[in-house]
Amino acid sequence: GLLYVDPLPRPAAGALADLNERTFYSETRRALFAPYLRSQDELARALERFVPPGRLLDIGCGAGHFLRAAARRGWRAVGVDVAAAPRREDDPDLVEVHRARLEDLDLGEAAFDAVNLSHVLEHLPDPRAALLRARDHLRPGGLLAIGVPNPRSVVHWLRNASYTLRGRLGRDRYSADLCPPQHLYAFPPRTLERALAELGFRVRRSFTAPFGDARLAAPFQLRYSGPSLRRGLELAVDAAARPLGRCSLTFVYALKER
């Protein structure tokens, strides 16, 4: 079932934006993003397996890498993020970017052909409300694309075993699934699929992928996710778990039915 932090923390205003900027917007980290940047076209192309290019809403657009790739493929892309966002006048590939909370904007109901929620839901205090807002912005038959960590992966199981041992030794109290204030929820794939069905979506594809997948920037993961030997072993285990469907990341594509 759904995993969550209890009680949920109440971060200060702007805390998530500050965290995102420290984590994702430094020049040093952007310099390591080359494989990730090259791969965003693949993620934009994946949307087109289900709907043709039209209006796209990217919730949690970050620095706009996915928006640029989608715009180059013919999508009329709109981005929303509470953290620093690129400006339209600085980047002709972008259509429209808002630095704001989605609930504070009037973007119109049933106004988009696709909505992207990539590594957003796990950070939100009310992910169900975010899914409802995404549904409201989609036209009937529109596509919702979601990416979240997979707490049922082999790597998460190994990490939790390590954290349990370290906790008993008094060295660590965190788990691999929940690490406030960054990750407040963890969504097993079947739990996420059931939630989407209850909200009026029909899941068209659901699968897991390893951290080492090219589109997820393995160099970035290796550099910033712990000692290289340990991280290298995790990437190898994660890749080997692909046939089992137990990799570290879950991707779900679902169409709005009602």
Side-chain angles (χ1 to χ4, degrees), residues 155-191:
V155 165
H156 275 71
W157 184 87
L158 292 172
R159 284 183 182 175
N160 276 327
S162 171
Y163 292 159
T164 298
L165 176 60
R166 291 165 65 184
R168 288 176 178 172
L169 295 175
R171 297 177 182 173
D172 206 330
R173 294 183 181 274
Y174 291 104
S175 76
D177 309 313
L178 303 169
C179 48
Q182 293 96 329
H183 289 189
L184 306 179
Y185 287 85
F187 304 87
R190 296 292 179 264
T191 299

Side-chain angles (χ1 to χ4, degrees), residues 46-210:
L47 304 178
E48 297 161 27
R49 299 173 187 171
F50 308 99
V51 293
R55 292 200 75 204
L56 166 67
L57 175 61
D58 189 14
I59 302 172
C61 66
H65 305 308
F66 177 75
L67 283 178
R68 294 182 185 91
R72 288 193 294 268
R73 296 190 59 82
W75 289 90
R76 300 187 302 280
V78 178
V80 179
D81 203 303
V82 296
R87 296 178 299 178
R88 173 71 177 92
E89 58 267 28
D90 294 336
D91 195 333
D93 284 331
L94 295 176
V95 176
E96 183 179 340
V97 179
H98 302 274
R99 179 170 182 168
R101 298 184 306 170
L102 182 62
E103 57 266 33
D104 295 332
L105 298 172
D106 182 10
L107 299 176
E109 291 192 8
F112 293 90
D113 300 285
V115 172
N116 186 51
L117 276 166
S118 179
H119 297 278
V120 171
L121 290 177
E122 65 269 24
H123 299 282
L124 301 177
D126 191 348
R128 186 177 187 277
L131 290 172
L132 288 171
R133 283 191 289 271
R135 185 189 67 183
D136 290 343
H137 287 302
L138 277 171
R139 63 165 175 81
L143 176 69
L144 177 63
I146 296 175
V148 290
N150 175 19
R152 295 292 180 259
S153 71
V154 174
V155 165
H156 275 71
W157 184 87
L158 292 172
R159 284 183 182 175
N160 276 327
S162 171
Y163 292 159
T164 298
L165 176 60
R166 291 165 65 184
R168 288 176 178 172
L169 295 175
R171 297 177 182 173
D172 206 330
R173 294 183 181 274
Y174 291 104
S175 76
D177 309 313
L178 303 169
C179 48
Q182 293 96 329
H183 289 189
L184 306 179
Y185 287 85
F187 304 87
R190 296 292 179 264
T191 299
L192 182 56
E193 292 169 23
R194 287 195 298 269
L196 291 172
E198 292 171 1
L199 294 177
F201 290 94
R202 177 165 56 93
V203 174
R204 289 293 308 277
R205 190 181 183 207
S206 177
F207 64 98
T208 69

